[in-house]
Amino acid sequence: NLTSNLLDKIRLQAEIALQRENQATALYRLNRDLSETLDEKSLSRTAVEHLFEQFHVASILLLPDAANRLVLPEEKPVKGSFLGIDLLQAQRIFDECVLIDHISKTSNSHSLLYLPLHGSQRAVGLVALQPIDKGLRQFLHTFLHQIALTLERLRLATQASEAKIQAEAEVSRNSLLSAISHDLRTPLTRIVGAASTLIDNGQLTVEERQDFNKVIQDEAQRMSELMNKILDMARLSAGTLVLHREWHNIEEIVGGALTRMDKM
């Protein structure tokens, strides 16, 4: 009996050690693949595939939209995907951020386990999967925690990128306003100067008056073109203007710019 008990104990310890080794290997593979994900779609595929490989259950990862409403993935299902879920029930659990076993009558009559993915401050998504052995629940939560951390990292990276783009856009906008102010000031100055000369100097010849009138006309036309461009840029920034890209000869663009500079 003593020998048998010792053998059972050694066998149990070996099984526990092997299980821990397998779990450590599974977490390593998961983190390796998660580190290579660049967006939420690839993260969703990676999560579903690893959950199927490790726990042998079908699952689905639901992510919230801008209104914090869970939406079904748009991409085609991958191996281990499960689509027959109660989206309203998933939304309620996501909003309440609670762990629950919910028996849902799906197309395959599966019982589903709904698990919110907890970020540092709030739920960042939800996984619905077929029930697993309770002895694996703790490891499952560790598994999902890694997925949640990666999801939060991706979102923080996206926010940082958007903030950088917004800052760069603000710099470009300020530079543009400065350039526009200069471009508007030049024709205005020439118009005012020509008009003042016409008014104050009554001894100008007909040809000289025509020259000053031509200056006023050209600079007014230039200002009109600038204002149209400013309005187009405002519509472009608001997303109401659609760009139609066309090829242009670089020599014509440079030549036009040089011709415009000669008039300044």
Side-chain angles (χ1 to χ4, degrees), residues 238-251:
T240 60
L241 187 66
V242 179
L243 288 178
H244 297 286
R245 296 178 175 86
E246 297 180 357
W247 290 104
H248 289 276
N249 191 326
I250 188 64
E251 294 178 355

Side-chain angles (χ1 to χ4, degrees), residues 34-43 153-154 158:
L34 288 176
S35 66
E36 297 175 356
T37 58
L38 300 177
D39 52 43
E40 293 184 356
K41 288 185 178 180
S42 59
L43 170 65
R153 172 181 61 80
L154 288 176
T158 300

Side-chain angles (χ1 to χ4, degrees), residues 114-175:
Y114 292 80
L115 299 172
L117 297 176
H118 296 272
S120 58
Q121 297 180 342
R122 60 185 180 87
V124 294
L126 179 139
V127 169
L129 71 162
Q130 296 167 335
I132 65 173
D133 184 86
K134 290 186 177 181
L136 296 174
R137 292 284 180 86
Q138 186 61 42
F139 181 55
L140 173 63
H141 286 299
T142 302
F143 217 76
L144 296 182
H145 181 62
Q146 300 304 313
I147 296 173
L149 289 178
T150 303
L151 180 58
E152 195 166 44
R153 172 181 61 80
L154 288 176
R155 292 184 176 175
L156 289 175
T158 300
Q159 292 174 2
S161 177
E162 291 175 350
K164 181 180 178 180
I165 292 174
Q166 185 175 0
E168 291 175 349
E170 187 66 26
V171 172
S172 298
R173 187 181 300 110
N174 291 337
S175 299

Side-chain angles (χ1 to χ4, degrees), residues 62-184:
L62 302 176
L63 301 176
D65 58 15
N68 214 36
R69 307 300 297 177
L70 295 177
V71 294
L72 292 172
E74 296 180 357
E75 64 271 13
K76 294 181 180 179
V78 297
K79 183 179 180 181
S81 295
F82 186 79
L83 298 178
I85 66 168
D86 184 344
L87 196 57
L88 292 177
Q89 177 69 3
Q91 184 67 50
R92 183 184 69 80
I93 296 170
F94 175 75
D95 292 337
E96 297 176 357
C97 204
V98 296
L99 169 64
I100 186 171
D101 284 308
H102 176 67
I103 298 177
S104 174
K105 294 297 182 180
T106 67
S107 57
N108 297 320
S109 298
H110 286 302
S111 300
L112 292 185
L113 183 65
Y114 292 80
L115 299 172
L117 297 176
H118 296 272
S120 58
Q121 297 180 342
R122 60 185 180 87
V124 294
L126 179 139
V127 169
L129 71 162
Q130 296 167 335
I132 65 173
D133 184 86
K134 290 186 177 181
L136 296 174
R137 292 284 180 86
Q138 186 61 42
F139 181 55
L140 173 63
H141 286 299
T142 302
F143 217 76
L144 296 182
H145 181 62
Q146 300 304 313
I147 296 173
L149 289 178
T150 303
L151 180 58
E152 195 166 44
R153 172 181 61 80
L154 288 176
R155 292 184 176 175
L156 289 175
T158 300
Q159 292 174 2
S161 177
E162 291 175 350
K164 181 180 178 180
I165 292 174
Q166 185 175 0
E168 291 175 349
E170 187 66 26
V171 172
S172 298
R173 187 181 300 110
N174 291 337
S175 299
L176 181 61
L177 288 174
S178 177
I180 290 174
S181 298
H182 177 269
D183 289 343
L184 288 176

Side-chain angles (χ1 to χ4, degrees), residues 213-231:
N213 288 331
K214 187 66 168 57
V215 169
I216 293 174
Q217 182 183 30
D218 290 344
E219 297 304 326
Q221 181 63 34
R222 180 182 173 189
M223 287 189 62
S224 177
E225 293 174 358
L226 284 172
M227 293 305 301
N228 288 333
K229 291 178 180 179
I230 293 173
L231 292 175

Side-chain angles (χ1 to χ4, degrees), residues 23-75:
Q23 290 180 352
T25 302
L27 284 175
Y28 167 77
R29 290 199 302 267
L30 174 67
N31 287 322
R32 179 197 60 197
D33 292 347
L34 288 176
S35 66
E36 297 175 356
T37 58
L38 300 177
D39 52 43
E40 293 184 356
K41 288 185 178 180
S42 59
L43 170 65
S44 179
R45 291 193 298 270
T46 299
V48 169
E49 289 171 352
H50 277 269
L51 285 169
F52 183 77
E53 176 185 346
Q54 183 61 32
F55 300 99
H56 309 292
V57 293
S59 64
I60 184 173
L61 175 60
L62 302 176
L63 301 176
D65 58 15
N68 214 36
R69 307 300 297 177
L70 295 177
V71 294
L72 292 172
E74 296 180 357
E75 64 271 13

